[in-house]
Amino acid sequence: MLEFLASQLELIAAHAPVWGFFLIFVFMAIESSFVPFPSEVVMIPAGFLAVRGELTYHSPFVDGAIALLVALGGCLLGAFINYYLGLKLGRPVLSRYGKYFFLKKEALYRADELFAEYGDITTFVCRLVPVIRQIISIPAGITRMPIGRFAFFTGLGATVWNCILFGAGAFLGRLSLQDGEKMSYLELIEKGKELVSENYGIIAAGLILCIVLYGLIHRLVMRGKIRKTA
């Protein structure tokens, strides 16, 4: 599947200076919804092209900032699609008919269990976990998680993941400018994924730290509320 997507997107990438930001938004909205679509094929090349000055404004900083913003917008749109699927259809309907919309029952159950066990922070953490990343928004909708909190945690998680992929692409883009190496779209994606996987221990450690800090802050806030009501 990755090879097929890479071959198709390589043709589209030729139009990146004109349609780049729009395409990033659309593809990241698809990736964040229930449709299986890897974010690596979008954000790694986005970082690569931005650093090389091959997006709309030919400025690494400007193009990079806009690319990350439109990617976040796309992620939130896709996540809200899933949220409202959960809100309007509910668990029984999605469990029974989800397979017709690429929603596997096993993945739905796992996302449900994670959300039930860990609560709101799950919408942040699971944005960095393959497979669960897209569908964690569904149990958030089923349980009617407040929209503001959902948007905040989802946006935060999506931004972290997008920055990781974008950074990998930007790193490869800088290397290509220095040594003049040429890469196919597929090679770029595979090298970017390899770079991310090599540093996943650091990413995981950062996630654990975030969870611990969230737990401590949440506990302090709850203690303060209890004291006020006592």
Side-chain angles (χ1 to χ4, degrees), residues 69 86 123-124 146 186 188 197 221:
L69 283 173
T123 55
F124 164 68
L186 181 59
L188 169 62
S197 63
V221 171

Side-chain angles (χ1 to χ4, degrees), residues 37-134:
F37 190 90
S39 52
E40 291 86 347
V41 302
V42 180
M43 294 311 299
I44 292 174
F48 183 87
L49 293 173
V51 162
R52 290 175 59 87
E54 296 176 5
L55 284 177
T56 304
Y57 296 102
H58 308 293
S59 164
F61 178 78
V62 174
D63 286 331
I66 296 175
L68 288 170
L69 283 173
V70 297
L72 173 60
C75 287
L76 286 174
L77 174 60
F80 272 111
I81 290 172
N82 282 358
Y83 179 92
Y84 281 104
L85 280 175
L87 181 68
K88 299 298 182 182
L89 299 181
R91 189 177 289 107
V93 173
L94 289 172
S95 296
R96 185 172 182 180
Y97 299 105
K99 61 183 178 181
Y100 299 110
F101 300 95
F102 309 105
L103 296 173
K104 294 181 179 180
K105 187 181 291 187
E106 298 80 9
L108 280 172
Y109 282 154
R110 183 57 182 152
D112 218 1
E113 288 171 356
L114 287 169
F115 192 85
E117 186 171 354
Y118 298 106
D120 295 356
I121 192 65
T122 311
T123 55
F124 164 68
V125 175
C126 287
R127 296 300 304 186
L128 285 81
V129 180
V131 182
I132 301 295
R133 179 186 306 132
Q134 290 90 342

Side-chain angles (χ1 to χ4, degrees), residues 177-189:
L177 288 173
Q178 292 171 4
D179 56 27
E181 181 184 1
K182 293 184 178 180
M183 287 183 283
S184 69
Y185 206 89
L186 181 59
E187 288 174 331
L188 169 62
I189 295 166

